[in-house]
Amino acid sequence: MIDGGADKTRGGGSPTPVRPERLRGPVEFVGRTAELARLRRLVATPPCLILLEGEAGIGKSRLVAELLAELPGRHLVGECDDVPEPFPLGVLLDAIRGSTERPGPLSPVAGALTPLLPELADVLPDAPPPLTDPAAERHRLFRAVAAVLAALSPATLLLEDLHWADPATCELLAYLSTHPVDGLAVLMTARTATPGSSTPIHDALARTPPWSVTRVALSPLDADDVRRLAARTLRLDDPPQQLITALLDRTAGIPFVVEEVLRTLAERGGDPLADDSVPFVLRDVLLWRLRPLDEATREVLGAAAVLGMTPDQRILAAVLSLDRVAIGAALTAAHRAGLLHDAGDGLRFRHDLARQVVYDLVPRESREWLHLRVARVLEQELPKPVALLAHHYRRAGSGADFVRNAEAAADLATERGDDATAASFLLQTMDVAELPRPVRVRLAAKLGRSAIDGLSQAEAIPVLERLLADRRLPPGARGELGLVLGRMLRQQGEALRGYTEIERAVPYLRAPRRKAPALAVLAAPDTVVGRHVDDHLARCTEAEAAAVASGDPGSHLAVRIARASLLLELGDPAAWAIITELRASAELADRPREHARACLNWAQGALHAGHPEQAEALLAAGRALVDETGYERLASLVEATQLSLDRAAGRLDGLAERLSRLVTSAERMPVTLLDARAELATVLALTATAANAGTANAGTANGDSANAGTANGDSANAGGANAGTAAGLGDRTGGLDEVTVAERALREVVADARRVGAIWPLVQTLSALARLALTRQPDEAVRHATEALSVVRGKGILAWAADAVLVLAEAAAAQGEPARAAAAVAELEAGITGRDTPLARTALRRCRELVPA
């Protein structure tokens, strides 16, 4: 919506000063004593990040208004609009822009805000040169906002209606959760996410550490609060219980609705319990208030509801072909009738619930006509407010105009680095039935690229699948769409489906620049079952040829990273020379996000092979790069790699609890979730095995000594010392013992890994399941170990089966028939001969003690 009297730029250009603060809610303030006291305590001890949640009309804005009215110091206030704009960080910039004081002195990084805040050009440093990496650019922008907020602190930053916030704002708030600004209390309001749906703010905060955000939930008013509100509004000493019961029943205790009903009862007078005089729902209240208005005023009010919460009188006049005087008179009449209120920046609807009721009362044909008229008027604005145009054209039923503006809004969002908002606009275009196939394919390709790193993958995947099912799809489009679909499926944890889609797409990718990185993905051996390492080597060779043909440095870099990862998993010492060369290169240094990904992937590969020192160094480098770039999507991978390293090093104390927290925080990151669950189940198995045996020496393959209870034997008692961990989790799982808890967790991961075709967690958990069963059910142990060996055999990297083969050797030796495991041990020995695989060599030494050659 466009504010009356202000020319806040929409859809392009630099925004002008923010509108005044618009706090709204019930006039009477009842209840909420505990919540208000809690908010006082929290904001009194900054830095802090607080999320105030509740359904529409529950009184979030009224509560924060009460809080700020008594809170000393500087208040920075921003409010989100219900129509998403391709202008990242808009609400935060509004809050900064609206401050009555100038920030300063400022660090040089704050200059990144100079293009976005021209109003502060006199105090902001010069803008730094642009960065080539979008993630690094975004991180620098986050640091710039934090620097300006620090210069304005101590302060309270209030951000309202974040359920409508752009994804970049939500990412910044997640950044502030782990990089708090001294002296800054951040108070956010948002509607509670409904089951089965989410919003960018809830997705972003779900990935933050549990301790970093305090959530305060508002519930409906109870009977005592409704009684007090009724007594004040109706001027009754003791409102009858029948009235209170009826109010609660028909308003659900939602404060805004309760108050509107009570105001209407007070205005009408008479018996508040008379059936024909008590409007118990908001629609009845507003119908009663509309009744005395003439038809012309109702027409203006309906058009105002179409425009938004704060209707612009200039736009209304143009839409309805009336002069400003007539529009002003109509809005004033609606104000007198209690349908609008004066918030200091013009007349506006008191709440979105009220606006929605008025909007719904306008006949559908009239609403569509009004939306079309609004769009035609907005078409004259420069720069064009493409997001608003898309919104109004869609409501008007004008598909072609909607698609045109939605694509423009998506392009603008992509240009500003806001992929998630771009994906949101593009997803909406896919619902237009009459969209020509070439246009649909073009938009779907953009959608796929935007959703790769956005929050819309789950919605985009079925769209791409439907398009790829069309046999008339042009080959080039099939390749592009198949590639992005495969990448999205992989990020959603669907390892084999994603890999298969990319395989199908590669023959249709004409440009070597696109084919090379796709083939590099197919070269990774630790992702899927059913593909032999020879296939991965062949894909890597094809990728290198495509990279050379492309002449693209980025493609060449991606292939080199993949080659190093593949050689590392194979135990080829040449991997380290490539890694050293790449890490010293300017090409990788100029791409910090790719550098971070590479270091973390190499750290995992080093762990698989048994090089903990190198893994530790690579992880440290990856973590530093993630911190530097602020690429939050890699944060869970950093933590997962650290926990894998701790497990491998035998640092098991408290590890299960840390892994449990990671599993919870990674629920919206499926690509990380299964690996985290596999690590947790493995740790539970380690501790349960140690506890069950009454000793720390569980005898895994990952030990430097024959009977080490830990991954690398660094702590002789690590397993036993932490044996209570699994038992503690067992207490929270219906009192089950730690062995049962571990076995159940392992079986669940095995089932999920089989379903998605993810090889590394499958081999890891099958081997752990085999070891857990070794002393109790040796036949089950042999079965699980044999399956793990079979899966690894299909991959051709025998080092991965070291622990499974060791279980087979131990089981055979325990039964006095060591020769039963001779073939498996010989196969392991042949598979790792000449390979740089310390873990597998350690396991082989133990196997040879049990099963001599």
Side-chain angles (χ1 to χ4, degrees):
M1 58 201 132
I2 301 176
D3 296 329
D7 292 322
K8 184 173 181 181
T9 299
R10 297 291 177 177
S14 300
T16 57
V18 68
R19 56 184 171 264
E21 176 179 331
R22 304 186 317 192
L23 299 175
R24 59 193 186 277
V27 175
E28 296 290 342
F29 186 74
V30 300
R32 310 300 192 206
T33 305
E35 293 91 341
L36 182 58
R38 188 180 184 198
L39 291 178
R40 285 193 194 109
R41 291 193 302 271
L42 290 169
V43 300
T45 56
C48 59
L49 202 65
I50 308 157
L51 177 63
L52 184 63
E53 291 183 286
E55 61 184 299
I58 204 68
K60 302 180 291 294
S61 295
R62 183 65 182 89
L63 178 57
V64 296
E66 192 75 12
L67 174 71
L68 293 191
E70 63 181 44
L71 195 65
R74 185 177 299 140
H75 304 161
L76 310 175
V77 180
E79 181 179 4
C80 299
D81 289 332
D82 58 344
V83 178
E85 292 287 342
F87 193 81
L89 306 180
V91 64
L92 274 157
L93 298 179
D94 282 353
I96 292 171
R97 192 182 293 113
S99 174
T100 58
E101 298 186 35
R102 314 288 277 177
L106 291 165
S107 69
V109 73
L113 286 179
T114 298
L116 303 177
L117 285 174
E119 301 86 354
L120 300 182
D122 59 325
V123 295
L124 288 172
D126 293 336
L131 300 174
T132 57
D133 189 294
E137 189 77 59
R138 177 70 60 85
H139 180 62
R140 184 167 68 181
L141 193 60
F142 289 176
R143 290 171 57 209
V145 173
V148 174
L149 290 173
L152 290 170
S153 295
T156 299
L157 172 62
L158 170 64
L159 302 175
E160 286 252 56
D161 294 331
L162 285 177
H163 46 274
W164 290 325
D166 63 277
T169 293
C170 301
E171 289 178 28
L172 174 57
L173 292 168
Y175 171 81
L176 291 179
S177 73
T178 52
H179 301 79
V181 173
D182 287 342
L184 182 68
V186 182
L187 179 56
M188 309 170 286
T189 72
R191 292 180 188 170
T192 307
T194 56
S197 67
S198 189
T199 64
I201 187 60
H202 291 98
D203 284 324
L205 296 183
R207 298 193 297 270
T208 61
W211 46 263
S212 63
V213 181
T214 302
R215 289 171 167 80
V216 179
L218 293 185
S219 56
L221 297 178
D222 60 20
D224 288 340
D225 291 335
V226 172
R227 185 183 305 279
R228 284 194 291 271
L229 194 53
R232 294 182 191 179
T233 308
L234 301 178
R235 298 183 180 179
L236 297 174
D237 292 332
D238 186 18
Q241 182 59 40
Q242 182 182 353
L243 174 63
I244 304 307
T245 301
L247 282 168
L248 278 171
D249 180 51
R250 301 190 190 181
T251 66
I254 298 174
F256 174 72
V257 183
V258 173
E259 187 202 27
E260 290 296 298
V261 169
L262 288 171
R263 284 177 57 201
T264 303
L265 291 175
E267 291 165 2
R268 296 180 69 168
D271 180 3
L273 293 177
D275 291 341
D276 62 350
S277 67
V278 184
F280 280 112
V281 293
L282 187 58
R283 187 175 185 276
D284 294 333
V285 169
L286 297 183
L287 278 172
W288 183 81
R289 292 184 184 172
L290 280 166
R291 194 160 55 185
L293 300 180
D294 58 36
E295 184 176 346
T297 300
R298 291 188 188 188
E299 183 181 7
V300 171
L301 189 64
V306 167
L307 268 180
M309 288 293 294
T310 306
D312 186 317
Q313 293 189 31
R314 178 177 58 86
I315 301 294
L316 277 177
V319 167
L320 298 174
S321 300
L322 297 173
D323 59 48
R324 294 282 292 272
V325 174
I327 295 295
L331 294 180
T332 301
H335 179 219
R336 285 198 299 265
L339 291 158
L340 300 175
H341 84 128
D342 190 347
D345 60 341
L347 295 176
R348 76 190 310 267
F349 291 94
R350 254 191 78 228
H351 197 283
D352 187 55
L353 288 174
R355 187 201 65 82
Q356 188 63 46
V357 169
V358 174
Y359 179 88
D360 291 340
L361 290 172
V362 179
R364 183 175 62 84
E365 294 81 3
S366 298
R367 286 201 308 264
E368 290 180 355
W369 180 85
L370 285 168
H371 278 295
L372 187 60
R373 286 287 299 153
V374 169
R376 296 300 189 223
V377 170
L378 293 177
E379 286 276 14
Q380 310 308 311
E381 302 281 324
L382 289 176
K384 288 188 177 182
V386 288
L388 276 174
L389 284 167
H391 165 76
H392 287 294
Y393 277 128
R394 190 181 195 194
R395 294 294 184 92
S398 182
D401 288 321
F402 159 67
V403 169
R404 171 172 54 85
N405 285 281
E407 183 177 11
D411 291 344
L412 194 58
T414 300
E415 179 185 325
R416 291 167 173 168
D418 191 352
D419 287 339
T421 295
S424 175
F425 279 110
L426 292 166
L427 270 171
Q428 295 175 55
T429 67
M430 295 293 105
D431 294 334
V432 179
E434 66 272 20
L435 205 61
R437 183 183 295 108
V439 176
R440 190 179 298 277
V441 168
R442 184 185 75 244
L443 295 176
K446 290 184 177 183
L447 168 62
R449 290 190 289 272
S450 297
I452 286 292
D453 289 320
L455 303 171
S456 307
Q457 293 180 357
E459 295 88 352
I461 284 172
V463 171
L464 295 176
E465 288 176 331
R466 285 195 298 272
L467 284 169
L468 285 165
D470 185 351
R471 294 182 179 180
R472 295 168 296 178
L473 194 66
R478 186 172 298 281
E480 289 295 328
L481 297 183
L483 175 58
V484 294
L485 175 59
R487 291 178 62 192
M488 276 190 275
L489 286 169
R490 281 164 49 84
Q491 291 194 16
Q492 290 297 306
E494 296 287 342
L496 187 55
R497 283 181 63 203
Y499 193 96
T500 302
E501 286 294 343
I502 295 175
E503 279 183 324
R504 291 172 180 163
V506 163
Y508 298 101
L509 292 171
R510 297 169 179 170
R513 181 180 59 83
R514 298 290 290 162
K515 183 174 287 190
L519 287 164
V521 172
L522 299 180
D526 60 331
T527 53
V528 293
V529 299
R531 303 295 187 279
H532 195 273
V533 68
D534 290 343
D535 297 329
H536 297 301
L537 286 165
R539 294 298 194 180
C540 195
T541 299
E542 292 177 50
E544 288 168 337
V548 171
S550 74
D552 176 46
S555 299
H556 185 67
L557 180 63
V559 174
R560 294 276 288 164
I561 291 171
R563 168 67 75 176
S565 297
L566 176 55
L567 295 181
L568 200 55
E569 296 288 359
L570 283 170
D572 189 331
W576 296 110
I578 299 175
I579 291 171
T580 300
E581 178 189 340
L582 285 173
R583 294 206 55 211
S585 69
E587 290 83 2
L588 194 57
D590 288 342
R591 295 173 172 84
R593 181 168 60 174
E594 294 309 312
H595 193 174
R597 285 185 187 275
C599 285
L600 294 172
N601 287 336
W602 293 334
Q604 291 280 4
L607 276 176
H608 295 169
H611 295 286
E613 296 85 3
Q614 291 92 329
E616 189 90 58
L618 287 164
L619 173 60
R623 177 185 287 109
L625 287 162
V626 170
D627 290 342
E628 175 187 327
T629 61
Y631 191 48
E632 296 296 330
R633 293 181 66 84
L634 286 181
S636 61
L637 183 57
V638 170
E639 180 64 11
T641 307
Q642 179 64 65
L643 294 172
S644 296
L645 188 60
D646 289 345
R647 193 256 305 165
R651 298 187 287 264
L652 302 186
D653 189 31
L655 191 55
E657 285 79 4
R658 291 164 59 201
L659 279 162
S660 295
R661 288 195 296 270
L662 176 62
V663 167
T664 300
S665 65
E667 285 179 352
R668 299 188 184 276
M669 298 288 289
V671 70
T672 304
L673 182 57
L674 188 59
D675 287 332
R677 289 175 55 214
E679 281 292 339
L680 174 58
T682 302
V683 169
L684 292 179
L686 280 172
T687 54
T689 301
N692 195 45
T695 174
N697 298 326
T700 72
N702 300 329
D704 289 339
S705 63
N707 295 311
T710 69
N712 282 305
D714 288 351
S715 172
N717 295 313
N722 200 47
T725 301
L729 290 175
D731 291 340
R732 298 196 297 273
T733 319
L736 300 176
D737 66 272
E738 58 267 32
V739 173
T740 304
V741 170
E743 183 178 18
R744 178 177 294 178
L746 287 167
R747 289 184 182 277
E748 289 175 353
V749 175
V750 165
D752 286 342
R754 283 176 180 149
R755 176 181 59 80
V756 302
I759 189 168
W760 182 256
L762 178 59
V763 172
Q764 179 182 358
T765 47
L766 280 172
S767 301
L769 199 55
R771 177 151 307 283
L772 187 65
L774 186 58
T775 58
R776 301 175 298 108
Q777 299 172 297
D779 290 343
E780 278 289 289
V782 169
R783 184 172 67 83
H784 295 311
T786 301
E787 182 183 353
L789 177 57
S790 176
V791 171
V792 171
R793 191 180 287 128
K795 179 61 65 178
I797 304 178
L798 267 296
W800 290 359
D803 202 21
V805 173
L806 180 53
V807 168
L808 292 174
E810 290 178 351
Q815 294 173 348
E817 301 178 12
R820 286 174 50 192
V825 173
E827 185 177 9
L828 173 64
E829 185 170 20
I832 67 172
T833 298
R835 300 290 181 183
D836 182 21
T837 54
L839 277 181
R841 287 202 308 273
T842 299
L844 180 62
R845 285 197 298 271
R846 175 58 178 157
C847 287
R848 281 305 178 200
E849 293 174 5
L850 299 168
V851 183

